Amino acid sequence: PMARNATETRQIVEAFAAAGVPLYSAYYRRGHERFHVIKKMIAEGKIGDIVHVHYEMIRPHHVYKSGLDGWRFQPQHSGGGLIMDVGVHTLDILDFLVGEISDVHGHAQRVANEGYSVEDSVAMCFKIGPALGTASWNFAGSSFKDLIVIHGNKGTLSFSTFQDDPVVLRTADPDHVGDFNAHKENIFEFDLPKHAQQPLIQMIVDHLLQKSDICPSSGENALRVAVVVDAALESYYKGRHDKFWERPETWGPDSSSK
């Protein structure tokens, strides 16, 4: 994320705006070809009108280490648990593909106990564009799953945020009208960029050199993501607008009994 919460993110966005300086955020999947193709398919009506969006991530339990990756478990540096490291990318790409996320209701808790006090399980529901959505992250599992499913009234799109899994487009089979279990399946393969951030960096350079009118990732979408995450984690941290990382005694669903 751009900062530890929406309050800090907004301060950055406003400072750049006041100075008249362009601000870019490193939500670099907005530069990947696969997501531009998916966005085009949605715009062309390949799955019809979007009726629901769902995301699920499960990752094996990540044992806390105080070394290089220790910042991910320290809200004074990261702003929360692992959702701040990886979950924000999914929320941003959904914003890019479908539309702004709003009316967020979330639950978070810590299900593992490995020396850290941040949340490692998050579930949320929300409005997105014209539809409703659900998403969950669990960083204390025993397997790996990373799947976005966008449901339309004429088909579905399934794909991953982080992996090189193919994009799968499923639509009704015209030869079996009325059979809801029959469908056509089109698979689109994409290689991950050798350097994940390079496509977005090129877009930023082109924008700075006035070779392009827009860059797909700015402080504005970063702020929208920060607002969504704050809403999802609000109850766990008993508020996210202040310096919550300085009051760990209030965190957690059972903090009222402390």
Side-chain angles (χ1 to χ4, degrees):
M2 183 173 289
R4 292 172 289 188
N5 59 10
T7 301
E8 290 185 335
T9 307
R10 187 173 290 106
Q11 291 171 349
I12 296 170
V13 171
E14 291 176 351
F16 273 76
V21 177
L23 173 61
Y24 308 100
S25 57
Y27 284 114
Y28 52 86
R29 281 166 181 79
R30 287 177 175 248
H32 289 190
E33 179 189 10
R34 63 190 283 119
F35 296 115
H36 284 263
V37 172
I38 293 168
K39 189 175 179 70
K40 183 179 179 182
M41 286 194 284
I42 292 172
E44 291 176 346
K46 299 295 187 184
I47 61 172
D49 297 329
I50 295 175
V51 296
H52 189 76
V53 175
H54 178 70
Y55 177 71
E56 184 178 5
M57 168 168 272
I58 299 175
R59 286 176 53 166
H61 177 58
H62 190 108
V63 177
Y64 170 75
K65 297 178 182 178
S66 60
L68 183 63
D69 66 351
W71 68 270
R72 293 179 173 88
F73 300 88
Q74 300 173 22
Q76 68 269 30
H77 300 305
S78 67
L82 292 178
I83 190 174
M84 300 296 290
D85 181 32
V86 296
V88 291
H89 287 282
T90 295
L91 292 171
D92 181 73
I93 209 62
L94 290 177
D95 177 285
F96 176 66
L97 295 173
V98 182
E100 183 173 349
I101 298 172
S102 63
D103 199 13
V104 176
H105 300 272
H107 298 278
Q109 64 182 44
R110 187 179 77 249
V111 296
N113 187 10
E114 293 288 343
Y116 56 81
S117 57
V118 294
E119 83 294 335
D120 54 20
S121 182
V122 181
M124 57 186 286
C125 59
F126 48 87
K127 293 180 181 178
I128 179 167
L132 298 179
T134 53
S136 65
W137 292 262
N138 189 293
F139 299 104
S142 60
S143 59
F144 185 91
K145 185 175 184 179
D146 168 27
L147 180 64
I148 297 173
V149 182
I150 300 178
H151 296 276
N153 61 0
K154 295 182 180 179
T156 64
L157 279 162
S158 304
F159 51 95
S160 166
T161 304
F162 299 98
Q163 309 305 301
D164 60 356
D165 303 340
V167 175
V168 180
L169 170 64
R170 293 185 178 90
T171 54
D173 188 339
D175 296 327
H176 297 83
V177 177
D179 184 352
F180 297 109
N181 293 314
H183 59 262
K184 288 195 311 179
E185 190 170 275
N186 292 289
I187 296 176
F188 303 87
E189 302 274 359
F190 297 91
D191 293 329
L192 292 176
K194 182 178 180 181
H195 303 290
Q197 299 209 33
Q198 191 277 331
L200 179 63
I201 291 172
Q202 187 62 60
M203 291 179 176
I204 292 171
V205 170
D206 290 344
H207 188 247
L208 288 170
L209 295 177
Q210 298 183 338
K211 294 181 179 180
S212 172
D213 293 334
I214 61 171
C215 178
S217 191
S218 68
E220 299 301 325
N221 57 281
L223 178 56
R224 292 197 297 270
V225 171
V227 170
V228 171
V229 173
D230 276 2
L233 301 181
E234 177 83 10
S235 62
Y236 186 85
Y237 291 100
K238 305 302 182 291
R240 296 266 305 178
H241 305 295
D242 61 345
K243 295 181 179 180
F244 61 88
W245 48 87
E246 295 181 353
R247 48 175 178 78
E249 68 278 359
T250 67
W251 302 349
D254 59 346
S255 60
S256 60
S257 64
K258 295 179 182 179

